[in-house]
Amino acid sequence: MSRITQRDIARLAGVSQAVVSLVLNKRTDATTRIAPETRQRVLDVIKETGYAADPVARRMVRQHNQIIGVFTYESVFPSTSADFYYPFLRGIEECAEQLRCDLLLFTSAPVIDGRRKVFHENNRLRIADGCILLGRDIPDDELARLNRESYPFVAVGRRDDAGGPVPCVGADYAAATQKLVERARELGHREFAYVGAGEGAESADDRMNGFRAGTLGGGRHERTAGRSPGETLDALLAAGVTVAVVEGYADGVALIRAARERGVDVPGDLSVVVTGVPAESADTDIASTGFRIPRREMGWQSVELLAALLEDGPTTTLQRLLPCHFVEGQTLGEPRKDRS
């Protein structure tokens, strides 16, 4: 029989692993942060399961610096990135605070070929107990080296294996994109196009896989590289497409604006759904239909997973996929009868 872990206790008690950690470690402020009934429920599950933390692991936890590193492969502070990264960082900060850990943002990494590198001559990763990795594209060779050196880390976003499974917390883009397509099919749409790269990063691959599953292997693929929004719009209309499934939010907004400028009605003449609507948007005149990525929860659970790795080691489930949330919006409707 396998050893009961904190993750098991959290699941059985219906709480987060951070709450279990606070109860187990008898934090001085635990009673103020956790409702008495919740604390008792955790204690009851611990008693029922006979849970006993590995003494060696507990000693290791006490010897840790209680510092969690955060490494970003792109700058997170420019205004163009603020909407994308802010919810991740908020979740990371909130979970770290509950675990009574400090955060250390690694900023000394040199930029090589336009990208930051974790490994360099002044590498300071070991200052932290473990590290959260943020970035749209994380090099496989760096992930493989982190695995090879057994350094505790968690990537935000699903990652393919790199010298072994990569600990990560991602969004279930494939399932969410498939559901968007299926919703459009229920409205009567049959002519679909995926607008975007659809390949490269795991997030793009997952979206494309969901699109193909939803269209039963059909649909067009319109790449936006080297094209203006107007040229993409022309290609979609010429092909008789009634629903454009757009990979990026900015590209979706640009396509809708191009349609408006040309007198093309959205969603009457062309429905546009976006695979990643931000929680708050400056483009308030465009209420896009699509799904919202659980960025804050991804950040939170990344820290939670890292804490589990530090305590339970390889017995921890290394990868989590979180569901995305449908956003109704106003850019998906029934196709015109003369186009369906």
Side-chain angles (χ1 to χ4, degrees):
M1 182 177 178
S2 59
R3 183 172 68 87
I4 297 293
T5 67
Q6 278 194 27
R7 182 171 171 77
D8 297 321
I9 298 297
R11 176 176 54 80
L12 292 169
V15 299
S16 73
Q17 196 164 327
V19 169
V20 175
S21 179
L22 285 172
V23 173
L24 281 171
N25 290 294
K26 299 179 181 179
R27 302 293 191 191
T28 56
D29 60 345
T31 54
T32 60
R33 288 177 175 273
I34 304 171
E37 59 272 20
T38 301
R39 184 174 183 276
Q40 189 58 50
R41 189 164 71 249
V42 173
L43 291 172
D44 289 343
V45 171
I46 291 171
K47 182 178 180 180
E48 291 167 6
T49 58
Y51 171 81
D54 182 342
V56 175
R58 290 297 291 274
R59 285 198 297 272
M60 288 177 63
V61 169
R62 286 195 292 271
Q63 291 169 3
H64 286 155
N65 297 321
Q66 297 298 100
I67 296 174
I68 293 173
V70 179
F71 185 89
T72 65
Y73 281 86
E74 300 97 18
S75 177
V76 298
F77 295 110
S79 59
T80 54
S81 299
D83 287 343
F84 183 82
Y85 282 112
Y86 170 74
F88 292 128
L89 295 171
R90 179 183 171 192
I92 289 169
E93 179 186 40
E94 289 174 347
C95 189
E97 180 184 10
Q98 190 166 57
L99 289 171
R100 300 288 296 275
C101 291
D102 290 316
L103 292 176
L104 174 62
L105 182 63
F106 292 109
T107 57
S108 64
V111 177
I112 302 172
D113 296 329
R115 180 171 296 280
R116 291 174 176 167
K117 293 285 187 180
V118 166
F119 294 102
H120 54 92
E121 61 183 12
N122 197 28
N123 185 347
R124 294 174 181 161
L125 279 182
R126 297 291 174 180
I127 295 175
D129 302 324
C131 190
I132 304 297
L133 304 182
L134 272 170
R136 290 180 173 89
D137 299 300
I138 301 179
D140 291 342
D141 61 330
E142 297 216 324
L143 294 174
R145 182 171 173 182
L146 288 166
N147 265 337
R148 190 166 59 251
E149 296 186 1
S150 298
Y151 180 79
F153 75 98
V154 173
V156 178
R158 188 190 72 77
R159 305 295 166 183
D160 292 330
D161 286 2
V166 173
C168 61
V169 177
D172 195 347
Y173 293 123
T177 305
Q178 180 176 348
K179 287 178 182 177
L180 278 182
V181 174
E182 289 172 347
R183 187 176 289 256
R185 290 179 67 88
E186 290 170 0
L187 291 174
H189 290 278
R190 296 295 180 267
E191 300 298 328
F192 295 85
Y194 184 92
V195 179
E199 59 188 6
E202 288 88 344
S203 58
D205 291 336
D206 290 348
R207 286 172 164 94
M208 176 57 87
N209 289 336
F211 175 78
R212 287 173 175 153
T215 59
L216 307 178
R220 297 175 58 85
H221 183 187
E222 294 290 343
R223 293 175 173 82
T224 55
R227 273 183 170 180
S228 70
E231 290 171 331
T232 300
L233 176 65
D234 289 341
L236 294 171
L237 297 176
V241 170
T242 62
V243 179
V245 179
V246 186
E247 184 174 292
Y249 176 70
D251 285 341
V253 169
L255 183 63
I256 293 168
R257 291 198 186 287
R260 287 180 174 180
E261 290 170 1
R262 298 187 181 201
V264 176
D265 182 57
V266 175
D269 298 317
L270 177 70
S271 286
V272 177
V273 294
V274 180
T275 63
V277 178
E280 297 180 4
S281 171
D283 300 292
T284 53
D285 62 322
I286 296 178
S288 302
T289 300
F291 61 72
R292 184 162 293 136
I293 302 164
R295 293 187 174 100
R296 176 182 169 277
E297 184 66 15
M298 288 166 67
W300 177 289
Q301 290 204 27
S302 295
V303 175
E304 193 175 70
L305 178 56
L306 181 59
L309 286 169
L310 290 169
E311 173 154 348
D312 299 324
T315 63
T316 300
T317 300
L318 294 179
Q319 299 183 336
R320 303 180 187 179
L321 280 184
L322 309 184
C324 299
H325 310 294
F326 178 73
V327 177
E328 188 69 44
Q330 298 174 0
T331 59
L332 173 64
E334 297 180 357
R336 294 192 191 280
K337 294 188 180 299
D338 59 347
R339 298 203 67 203
S340 60

